[in-house]
Amino acid sequence: MNPEDIKQLREELGWSLAKFGKYFGVTAQAVLKWERGTALPNDFTMAAMIQLNRRLDEAKGENQKQQFINGLKQALLTGGVIALLTFLFNQDESS
């Protein structure tokens, strides 16, 4: 993902720099650096963002996209990074 893709993903989720960073274990300042292209996320974070972007692209219609985002938020609230990865990589693709 390039810097513009990262910014677009964050904006599509409707998350602030701080909220996006919180879910990936970094500061808002780090996210801003990613979006400006002055720093890169680590490989783990990049893989999670690529998968998150892919899953959002696969969502059919706003309702399904919103359901996915709500599930994502719930996973993050209840289990942090491990729950995020489980949600992104193991959820049934047909949902």
Side-chain angles (χ1 to χ4, degrees):
M1 295 184 76
N2 64 43
E4 184 59 34
D5 293 336
I6 295 170
K7 183 176 183 178
Q8 185 177 0
L9 174 62
R10 179 182 62 78
E11 289 175 346
E12 185 171 2
L13 291 166
W15 294 351
S16 66
L17 290 166
K19 187 173 187 176
F20 193 80
K22 175 184 173 189
Y23 290 139
F24 288 104
V26 298
T27 64
Q29 192 76 359
V31 175
L32 187 59
K33 288 179 181 180
W34 299 344
E35 291 182 358
R36 290 182 175 166
T38 58
L40 295 172
N42 63 38
D43 292 341
F44 168 82
T45 301
M46 183 66 79
M49 286 192 294
I50 289 168
Q51 179 69 358
L52 176 53
N53 195 51
R54 185 182 72 79
R55 295 292 302 277
L56 282 170
D57 286 346
E58 289 174 352
K60 294 174 177 57
E62 278 304 310
N63 189 37
Q64 192 176 28
K65 186 179 283 189
Q66 193 57 52
Q67 286 178 342
F68 174 76
I69 292 171
N70 290 341
L72 177 67
K73 288 178 185 177
Q74 185 63 34
L76 289 166
L77 289 173
T78 59
V81 173
I82 299 302
L84 167 67
L85 292 175
T86 301
F87 184 80
L88 286 176
F89 289 97
N90 293 329
Q91 184 174 347
D92 179 18
E93 300 285 335
S94 64
S95 329

